[in-house]
Amino acid sequence: MAIRERLSGNEAVAIAMKQINPDVVAAFPITPSTEIPQYFSQYVANGQVETEYVPVESEHSAMSACIGSQAAGARTMTATSSCGLALMWEMLYVAASSRLPITLACVNRALTGPININNDHSDSMGARDTGWIQIYSETNQEAYDNFIQSVRIGEHKDVLLPVMICQDGFITSHAVENIELIEDDKVKAFVGEYEPEDYMLNVKRPISVGPYDTAAYYIEHKRNQAEGMKNAKNVILQVAEEFEKMTGRKYGLFDTYRLEDAEYAIVVINSTAGTARATIDAMRAEGKKVGMLKIRVFRPFPMEEIADALKHVKAIAVMDKAEGFSAAGGPLFAEVRSALYDVKERPMMINYIYGLGGRDVRTSDIATVYEDLFQILKDGQVNEVYKYLSVRE
């Protein structure tokens, strides 16, 4: 029977880590993810887990330690945010290319500079092409559920890639919500034991981790890595199906809300989806056919599935909580627009950069986006594709 609790997103993830009982956790504190290793270190001190906790001097060292322990055959985890993730940059690539299924809790926060400790998605979006699977969480419940599923996903023999579970800093990481925890024994059984085929301490099968690849091998290495990312899509769905049988909670590559007959839609990530639902309900009551698609899995990017879900919509606003500095829009916009390129009757599309550095996003802001879509369809053209929402010009 599920355990009903009231927890912050950070504590929920720390409890998931405790239930999984990894071999190693290496971490360095940074706001707003600090609480995750802080809570977990208490579990270590109290003897509630058998984990080797490695305090280090920086996030670069944290990921380096994670790479070493995972390569040695130990199930390994960490947590970070913002500039901490940026300091890991070099090692993120090493972890992914070495096919090490490390699990990382990323509590999304703006990148410096200017210095800002509040939420946006510039940290994880900056790491989108490092080779890590990226799964996003709207609520505390989703952060907890996603973290448990991530271990199975990354460790699958057809994937063998590190996984980043993202949630919005402060908005979910520190806010307390009602949550249903799974019993410890069920989590342990669901995740199972880590039994790698190749690891450095396996004397019967010697391997090299992180070798120098000459031109004769490098592209094959990358192709092999890319196949793991392709395979991850089906594995994510398989794991989600098993998770649903255990908990009754259903997850897919993305979530839709009142999208089936929608003529106008927005595409969002993480906690903004809750604000969007309230706006959609109010506008639906007025007879306006509006809907939403919320991204859960950003890497691998579910291109064909998103195109199929949005192909009937007349006008779409893609909302980026990160500035891509491409002078053509944000990273999510580029991906979604590309996904719809082969649709015969493509919807008209617009991009909004919003919420940077923790700027509030209200239902009135979402309503403004829909009003712009109404006008676009009425005019039959998009005058300004790339815009900012709720900014002092």
Side-chain angles (χ1 to χ4, degrees):
M1 186 174 180
I3 304 160
R4 296 182 181 275
E5 260 289 6
R6 288 171 296 184
L7 299 168
S8 70
N10 278 347
E11 189 170 8
V13 168
I15 288 174
M17 292 173 71
K18 179 183 73 171
Q19 292 176 316
I20 294 164
N21 191 11
D23 299 307
V24 175
V25 169
F28 186 83
I30 183 170
T31 303
S33 67
T34 300
E35 286 183 328
I36 296 174
Q38 181 181 350
Y39 281 124
F40 193 80
S41 66
Q42 293 172 350
Y43 304 145
V44 174
N46 295 340
Q48 294 173 272
V49 292
E50 299 167 342
T51 307
E52 182 73 27
Y53 185 84
V54 185
V56 291
E57 72 276 11
S58 75
E59 290 85 359
H60 187 283
S61 299
M63 185 50 58
S64 298
C66 287
I67 289 168
S69 63
Q70 191 81 44
R75 179 179 277 161
T76 306
M77 298 176 176
T78 190
T80 195
S81 298
S82 182
C83 303
L85 187 66
L87 189 54
M88 290 179 177
W89 234 250
E90 174 192 7
M91 306 316 292
L92 294 179
Y93 286 95
V94 175
S97 65
S98 299
R99 308 300 293 274
L100 301 174
I102 299 160
T103 308
L104 183 152
C106 176
V107 183
N108 290 121
R109 172 191 143 185
L111 280 171
T112 303
I115 295 172
N116 183 290
I117 65 165
N118 300 307
N119 169 249
D120 65 34
H121 301 155
S122 54
D123 48 6
S124 58
M125 281 295 163
R128 65 189 179 276
D129 295 332
T130 56
W132 284 62
I133 293 168
Q134 288 193 353
I135 300 177
Y136 287 80
S137 317
E138 177 188 347
T139 63
N140 302 8
Q141 183 74 66
E142 287 189 15
Y144 170 79
D145 292 349
N146 284 339
F147 200 88
I148 291 169
Q149 292 176 69
S150 69
V151 179
R152 285 277 305 277
I153 294 163
E155 292 177 2
H156 193 283
K157 64 181 179 61
D158 295 333
V159 178
L160 294 177
L161 288 173
V163 186
M164 190 180 298
I165 300 300
C166 305
Q167 63 167 312
D168 283 346
F170 296 109
I171 299 171
T172 57
S173 68
H174 285 64
V176 174
E177 295 179 357
N178 292 326
I179 189 171
E180 285 191 357
L181 299 175
I182 309 163
E183 295 89 336
D184 291 357
D185 59 332
K186 287 185 178 179
V187 173
K188 198 164 185 62
F190 180 82
V191 172
E193 296 295 327
Y194 181 44
E195 297 177 351
E197 183 178 354
D198 290 309
Y199 56 99
M200 295 189 75
L201 296 184
N202 183 0
V203 295
K204 296 179 181 179
R205 190 178 168 111
I207 61 168
S208 176
V209 176
Y212 173 69
D213 272 11
T214 65
Y217 297 99
Y218 185 85
I219 193 168
E220 285 77 16
H221 190 143
K222 288 300 167 186
R223 168 63 187 272
N224 183 273
Q225 192 180 334
E227 287 301 309
M229 186 63 78
K230 288 180 185 178
N231 295 340
K233 190 191 293 185
N234 286 333
V235 172
I236 288 166
L237 293 175
Q238 290 167 16
V239 172
E241 188 176 346
E242 289 186 44
F243 190 82
E244 184 183 4
K245 289 177 183 176
M246 179 174 66
T247 65
R249 294 191 288 275
K250 185 178 179 65
Y251 291 98
L253 302 172
F254 51 80
D255 183 35
T256 62
Y257 188 68
R258 308 192 78 163
L259 190 63
E260 293 78 10
D261 65 338
E263 296 180 355
Y264 312 89
I266 63 170
V267 179
V268 297
I269 285 180
N270 274 7
S271 62
T272 304
T275 308
R277 285 192 188 88
T279 310
I280 290 166
D281 288 343
M283 298 185 87
R284 281 279 181 167
E286 298 171 357
K288 297 170 181 175
K289 292 188 175 182
V290 296
M292 175 187 68
L293 186 146
K294 180 195 75 176
I295 300 286
R296 175 179 179 242
V297 179
F298 186 68
R299 286 290 183 271
F301 190 73
M303 186 170 69
E304 296 88 355
E305 293 84 354
I306 285 175
D308 188 60
L310 293 173
K311 65 185 179 183
H312 68 282
V313 178
K314 295 178 180 178
I316 299 169
V318 180
M319 300 185 66
D320 271 284
K321 223 175 190 182
E323 172 56 88
F325 299 108
S326 67
L332 181 59
F333 178 64
E335 303 271 1
V336 175
R337 203 178 199 195
S338 174
L340 288 162
Y341 180 79
D342 291 323
V343 173
K344 288 184 179 179
E345 295 183 15
R346 289 193 294 272
M348 288 184 282
M349 295 184 69
I350 188 171
N351 181 216
Y352 278 98
I353 308 296
Y354 80 104
L356 301 186
R359 179 67 57 90
D360 283 343
V361 184
R362 303 174 177 85
T363 54
S364 57
D365 296 317
I366 303 295
T368 297
V369 173
Y370 281 118
E371 293 293 342
D372 281 357
L373 292 179
F374 301 155
Q375 191 63 47
I376 285 169
L377 194 59
K378 183 179 178 181
D379 295 343
Q381 62 180 6
V382 180
N383 294 321
E384 192 179 359
V385 175
Y386 162 45
K387 302 175 71 173
Y388 267 68
L389 178 66
S390 183
V391 64
R392 295 185 298 274
E393 296 289 1

